[in-house]
Amino acid sequence: MVFKRALDILEDDFAVELTLSIDEIVNEEECTPDDSDDECKVPTDVVYIDEGQTEINECAYFDRDDVSVLVIPSSVCHIHSRAFINYYGSYRVNISNPNYSSSDGILYNKDKSRLLRVPIKVGFDAYSTASAVKVIGRYAFQGLIHLISIDIGENVERIEDFAFSQNLDLEELHISSNVAYIGHQLFIGCDNLQIIYCDIVDLSNIMIESDAFDSLDLQKVKLIVPTSVVEKYKQHSVWGKFPLIIANTNMLENKPEPDIPTHISAYTHYGGGGNGWGTFHGYQSVSGHWRSGHWRNGHWVSGHYVRSHGRWR
């Protein structure tokens, strides 16, 4: 799951879609302390970990709000999942590091298949995922500020323990259909979560820890699921804990009719208050298979037909 600014921040209350193609993920080069390109220059309040250090231990940067960038050298081969609890800065990994990488201040494993840590001070209202990340790691989104909604990408297969903990402003989460594992206590401190969209149809293919949702007030969280499996969710040992399980009547569970154009169809448009951006919803034929989603600023973003906050997304 990878994120990139697709639009400038318009106002503090506007959601900004973040997208990155798989080609950009593969080809992007990280900055190193020796880079001279202006785009790679780092702020003065940057911390360089010494070359030769191999580990970043638990709570090594706990509660650090005085660092804007942490530069991780090529020698680091192990980072504890709790190394950056309440750490506010972003991450920059030496491109020679064989184990870790970074992009836009976000920390990943080397091939970006595992999202390890998103900076707390991201300043965005919404995240939308791209196609590289398969695993959202432990504490990956811990403590983010003003994060309203998260869309889990289609390629994500695992959401590990405490992934979204302490996101007080989080109101909405969208779980894609390919997620096969959901870990322990995902939502500790997410007191304002209101809606979980889950697109999983075959519940036999997913493993959910029994306490995954125990920290939520389930009486006030709506679980929106595919229409065809509402009863299966209600009977499930974990999903069934939600008293408000509602059919997602806007979700397309089957492919569209064959005569729908391959580029875009059945679209809905909404604008950004005169700011010149819009989204068109429809379908795209990918390798002979139909995929629902939307166009934003000329780019196809995989997505789903769901209604949220009075608008299509």
Side-chain angles (χ1 to χ4, degrees), residues 25-277:
I25 294 166
V26 172
N27 295 325
E28 182 168 353
E29 294 185 358
E30 296 89 344
C31 298
T32 70
D34 296 325
D35 285 329
S36 59
D37 192 306
D38 287 343
E39 294 182 357
C40 292
K41 289 182 179 178
V42 296
T44 55
D45 54 343
V46 64
V47 170
Y48 294 91
I49 295 177
D50 292 337
E51 185 66 51
Q53 181 172 328
T54 59
E55 297 186 359
I56 302 177
N57 296 321
E58 182 177 9
C59 296
Y61 292 88
F62 173 76
D63 212 17
R64 292 290 299 272
D65 60 1
D66 58 334
V67 178
S68 64
V69 180
L70 180 69
V71 180
I72 299 173
S74 59
S75 57
V76 169
C77 59
H78 175 72
I79 299 176
H80 196 283
S81 63
R82 287 179 50 84
F84 303 114
I85 299 298
N86 292 342
Y87 161 74
Y88 281 71
S90 60
Y91 307 88
R92 185 165 292 169
V93 180
N94 188 301
I95 197 169
S96 299
N97 189 299
N99 303 291
Y100 300 100
S101 63
S102 61
S103 178
D104 292 328
I106 300 170
L107 181 64
Y108 305 89
N109 67 338
K110 186 61 179 179
D111 65 1
K112 296 183 173 68
S113 62
R114 178 184 289 266
L115 172 65
L116 298 176
R117 187 70 177 162
V118 177
I120 285 179
K121 295 198 297 184
V122 290
F124 298 124
D125 294 324
Y127 277 105
S128 179
T129 66
S131 30
V133 171
K134 295 182 181 297
V135 179
I136 298 176
R138 301 178 82 227
Y139 300 98
F141 287 85
Q142 182 270 332
L144 268 66
I145 298 172
H146 304 313
L147 184 66
I148 304 300
S149 64
I150 301 175
D151 290 345
I152 304 302
E154 289 292 339
N155 276 24
V156 173
E157 299 171 357
R158 292 178 60 87
I159 305 173
E160 297 190 339
D161 307 344
F162 317 108
F164 309 112
S165 59
Q166 305 302 323
N167 278 267
L168 185 61
D169 297 314
L170 184 64
E171 298 178 1
E172 179 182 312
L173 178 77
H174 192 152
I175 300 174
S176 61
S177 58
N178 293 321
V179 172
Y181 174 78
I182 296 178
H184 296 280
Q185 297 281 354
L186 295 188
F187 301 105
I188 293 176
C190 297
D191 297 339
N192 291 307
L193 188 65
Q194 301 172 16
I195 301 175
I196 297 177
Y197 290 98
C198 186
D199 293 349
I200 299 170
V201 175
D202 187 357
L203 298 184
S204 65
N205 286 335
I206 182 171
M207 177 182 175
I208 311 177
E209 300 296 346
S210 60
D211 62 348
F213 307 111
D214 282 3
S215 53
L216 292 174
D217 181 358
L218 297 182
Q219 298 295 324
K220 67 176 186 180
V221 179
K222 296 178 181 177
L223 178 61
I224 314 296
V225 304
T227 302
S228 63
V229 288
V230 169
E231 291 305 316
K232 290 184 179 179
Y233 273 84
K234 290 180 178 180
Q235 296 168 14
H236 192 272
S237 60
V238 180
W239 295 116
K241 295 178 181 179
F242 287 84
L244 301 174
I245 300 178
I246 302 169
N248 187 351
T249 57
N250 293 313
M251 178 184 174
L252 294 172
E253 297 183 43
N254 301 312
K255 71 177 183 180
E257 295 299 321
D259 59 349
I260 292 179
T262 60
H263 57 292
I264 187 168
S265 64
Y267 61 81
T268 300
H269 172 265
Y270 64 86
N275 291 292
W277 57 272

Side-chain angles (χ1 to χ4, degrees), residues 269-289:
H269 172 265
Y270 64 86
N275 291 292
W277 57 272
T279 298
F280 296 85
H281 290 267
Y283 312 92
Q284 182 187 47
S285 181
V286 180
S287 301
H289 300 281

